[in-house]
Amino acid sequence: MRIDIITVSPELIKSPFEYSILKRAQDKGKAEIHFHDLRDYAINKYGKIDDYQFGGGAGMVLMIEPIDKCLSELMKQRDYDEIIYMTPDAKTLDQGRANILSDKKNLLILTGHYKGVDQRVRDKFITMEISIGDYVLSGGELAAAVLCDAVIRLIPGVLGDETSALTDSFQDHLLAPPVYTRPAQYEDMKVPEILLSGNFPKIDEWRHEEALKRTKLIRPDLLNQ
Ligand code: 6GU
């Protein structure tokens, strides 16, 4: 998978891709990430990419012209499966959407800043809009990193068997069950007996029950999906 990310702050978004699973995915050739600085497509030599909004109101809006220049150049080079705009005024990301995106070859992600982008950018170019939750971030960069992490770890061959994405919380609309490691007893706290029993069918059953219990308590909304 190739992901192109257009941003006004490339340095802000780069580091999550340099560690752990996201780094390994790139080292294995499963994911290729390219960052594009919107300022390289500014409308003047002072690096202008945003302006005040028509009708008044606080906050700067990213202009259509630099984005058009940048997007058009990239779209000439390859067909994108989706052109995604990260914005809080969109449907929220969930595991189902991450699964679908993990199957794509070329994704383009535009991250907004300030008050967002001129609506005409969304009308002309964007095929999918994604929020990562009901709260507002200062820019879309961190949200784009979250999206990329959720998607890239699902690409076949990125995770080893021991960390299979299939057993993740949410993959089956349930929260994950509790986990324990050594020691079997710490102070007066013991690991549940069943986990030490070696009876794997029973352990699976216990984990499923615990997952259900947790989900009913913390996220009952997930059970109705
Ligand atoms: Cl995608 N962008 C911003 N700026 N804030 C957000 C978001 C995105 N998702 C949730 N909050």
Side-chain angles (χ1 to χ4, degrees), residues 169-224:
S169 206
F170 283 111
Q171 204 69 18
D172 50 8
H173 297 293
L174 290 179
L175 301 185
V179 294
Y180 299 86
T181 187
R182 276 190 277 253
Q185 179 164 355
Y186 185 71
E187 296 173 347
D188 62 343
M189 296 178 289
K190 285 186 185 159
V191 169
E193 204 69 50
I194 181 77
L195 295 177
L196 310 174
S197 70
N199 185 339
F200 295 105
K202 278 272 180 237
I203 289 173
D204 280 347
E205 208 175 289
W206 179 86
R207 284 184 172 148
H208 185 70
E209 277 164 21
E210 291 297 314
L212 259 176
K213 246 194 261 173
R214 235 182 212 185
T215 311
K216 271 184 197 157
L217 191 66
I218 303 169
R219 292 291 308 276
D221 55 297
L222 291 175
L223 295 170
N224 306 318

Side-chain angles (χ1 to χ4, degrees), residues 85-89 112 130-141 143-144:
Y85 175 50
M86 302 306 302
T87 178
D89 53 354
I130 297 179
S131 162
I132 62 160
D134 294 336
Y135 43 81
V136 178
L137 304 171
S138 318
E141 285 80 10

Side-chain angles (χ1 to χ4, degrees), residues 3 5 8 10 16-17 21-22 34 36 39 44-45 49 59 73 80 85 96 146 148 151 156 161 164 188 192 221:
I3 306 179
I5 302 176
V8 293
F17 294 90
I21 307 281
L22 293 190
H34 297 264
H36 307 276
R39 220 163 285 274
N44 63 20
K45 62 180 179 191
I49 51 173
E73 198 174 301
Y80 287 97
Y85 175 50
V146 166
C148 288
V151 168
D161 283 346
S164 168
D188 62 343
D221 55 297

Side-chain angles (χ1 to χ4, degrees), residues 60-91:
M60 303 294 273
V61 175
L62 290 175
M63 305 169 88
I64 188 167
E65 194 178 333
I67 295 172
D68 191 347
K69 276 200 274 183
C70 181
L71 277 174
S72 300
E73 198 174 301
L74 288 169
M75 289 162 72
K76 255 188 273 168
Q77 292 165 26
R78 67 196 61 78
D79 283 333
Y80 287 97
D81 297 296
E82 298 288 355
I83 299 179
I84 301 168
Y85 175 50
M86 302 306 302
T87 178
D89 53 354
K91 282 225 172 89

